[in-house]
Amino acid sequence: MTQQSVTMADVAKAAGVSRTTVSFVLNGRMEANIPEATRERINQTARMLGYRPNAAARTLASKRSAWFGLVTEIATSPFATDVIKGAQRSAWKDGNFLLIAPSDDDPGMEMLAVEKLLEQQVGGLIIATTWHREIIVPENAKSVPCVLVNCFDAEGEFPSIVPDEVAGGYAAAEILARAGHTNIGHITVAQGIPARIGRQTGMKQALRDHGLSQEESKIVAGDGTADSGYHGTQELLAQPDPPTAIFCGNDRIAMGAYDAIKELGLRVGEDISIVGFDDQEILAPHMRPKLTTIALPFEEMGMAGVSLLNQMVEGSPIENRQITIGCPPRIRSSVAMHGQR
């Protein structure tokens, strides 16, 4: 008998019980008065025969799919991997299974990915992006409950899970202010995106709360690349009153800043303090000195996305259409107390 052909009737015959009893036990229904020894015998028999439940039949019977679909741009990127890890963990905890489809950051591919997942009778969808932004949700995604992770739609039609960029920017500036720095520079990420707006807003609020002001000349426009960090740091350190610390809009900017500082014969974490943002696993812990940064909570956002999707599938009301997840600091070696060498 092959594993594919094993049915509840086969399990019932081998265990010496009725098919109805097997159905109650294997579907986890506790309302029937079935002795624990019988339950254990049925479970052992099912394992011995290699029984596997029919997911499609279970969906038809319960009118609720145990399958969720996740659409993301680049499934192999470090950020997407963390979202997937968190979503899978949350899904498994509730007995759900996650189907993953890459979209390659292409609207046509994204719509096709959604369609393929819908063909698998998924009970809900998560659409996740690798950087925080506004998106246009494919029309076919509206046919099942759908949650957006690390992104949002302009109309707010879909509930979304996003990082708390403002609180993250606040935390970055506060690390430097608490270390005694009063002259703090900032190199931004690309113009107009939520990360730039939120992180800069949080930074300015933290400086105000610490009684500090920041000249506009101390804010240099970057584009998220290491090159912009390199040139932005050169610009800041060439000023008559150069900053003693720099908040870099992301870790790649910080990497470029390290190069510029070292070329000037200065030392990161001693002469100039640096804080990044993202906590890229392939960068921040491996830079020398190791980079103090603010982590983007990709795994936590994935978990929260599945949790919210479960609520929607079960028909529970959604009180907050946009949930923000905190961005925790990662304290390492790139910040020193000002005036201490």
Side-chain angles (χ1 to χ4, degrees):
M1 183 182 297
T2 64
Q3 289 184 346
Q4 287 80 2
S5 65
V6 176
T7 65
M8 283 192 182
D10 297 322
V11 175
K13 182 178 179 180
V17 296
S18 70
R19 187 191 180 287
T20 301
T21 300
V22 170
S23 176
F24 272 103
V25 172
L26 296 184
N27 285 314
R29 295 175 60 180
M30 303 302 294
E31 62 267 31
N33 188 24
I34 301 172
E36 189 58 37
T38 303
R39 289 182 181 274
E40 181 59 28
R41 186 168 80 253
I42 290 169
N43 284 322
Q44 284 183 349
T45 302
R47 287 193 295 269
M48 180 184 69
L49 295 177
Y51 170 80
R52 290 191 177 92
N54 186 318
R58 179 179 289 182
T59 297
L60 288 172
S62 66
K63 297 182 181 180
R64 184 189 186 283
S65 174
W67 298 64
F68 289 158
L70 188 151
V71 179
T72 190
E73 301 155 339
I74 308 170
T76 56
S77 78
F79 292 151
T81 300
D82 285 342
V83 170
I84 291 168
K85 188 188 302 180
Q88 282 181 326
R89 181 177 300 171
S90 184
W92 276 110
K93 184 183 68 176
D94 295 320
N96 296 317
F97 188 78
L98 203 63
L99 293 176
I100 301 157
S103 65
D104 294 334
D105 198 17
D106 175 82
M109 185 72 173
E110 187 173 58
M111 182 171 285
L112 179 61
V114 169
E115 193 59 39
K116 289 298 181 184
L117 290 171
L118 293 175
E119 289 175 5
Q120 302 303 313
Q121 302 295 312
V122 295
L125 289 169
I126 293 173
I127 297 177
T129 57
T130 53
W131 56 280
H132 182 191
R133 68 182 190 271
E134 179 184 311
I135 66 166
I136 297 173
V137 179
E139 191 66 28
N140 55 350
K142 299 179 181 180
S143 59
V144 293
C146 180
V147 173
L148 309 183
V149 170
N150 204 32
C151 54
F152 57 95
D153 63 305
E155 295 77 23
E157 180 180 355
F158 297 86
S160 60
I161 311 289
V162 296
D164 193 339
E165 306 280 12
V166 175
Y170 190 103
E174 188 166 54
I175 289 169
L176 296 172
R178 285 183 171 176
H181 294 276
T182 58
N183 187 351
I184 298 170
H186 178 49
I187 305 172
T188 72
V189 289
Q191 186 173 2
I193 63 174
R196 175 169 176 165
I197 297 166
R199 294 171 195 182
Q200 194 168 325
T201 298
M203 174 192 69
K204 289 182 175 181
Q205 184 59 56
L207 295 180
R208 285 194 295 270
D209 288 350
H210 283 269
L212 303 176
S213 60
Q214 187 179 52
E215 300 172 7
E216 284 302 313
S217 64
K218 294 295 190 292
I219 299 177
V220 175
D223 59 11
T225 64
D227 277 349
S228 71
Y230 176 81
H231 294 297
T233 301
Q234 285 184 321
E235 181 178 336
L236 286 169
L237 297 184
Q239 294 179 6
D241 180 25
T244 62
I246 302 173
F247 167 32
C248 296
N250 67 17
D251 292 349
R252 286 178 295 170
I253 290 174
M255 184 168 64
Y258 270 45
D259 289 340
I261 291 166
K262 290 173 183 177
E263 277 191 12
L264 290 170
L266 301 173
R267 293 162 297 181
V268 175
E270 295 184 46
D271 301 305
I272 307 290
S273 289
I274 299 288
V275 173
F277 206 111
D278 287 352
D279 194 28
Q280 286 200 35
E281 187 178 350
I282 60 174
L283 287 182
H286 306 292
M287 295 167 68
R288 294 293 180 268
K290 295 181 179 182
L291 179 65
T292 291
T293 188
I294 308 299
L296 280 172
F298 283 101
E299 190 169 335
E300 291 80 3
M301 288 193 291
M303 293 178 68
V306 168
S307 178
L308 186 58
L309 190 56
N310 264 323
Q311 285 182 246
M312 296 173 67
V313 168
E314 292 169 1
S316 302
I318 305 300
E319 297 179 2
N320 190 349
R321 301 294 292 179
Q322 186 170 92
I323 297 172
T324 55
I325 305 294
C327 300
R330 300 284 188 252
I331 306 299
R332 298 191 178 101
S333 312
S334 61
V335 174
M337 293 296 296
H338 181 51
Q340 294 184 10
R341 298 286 295 276

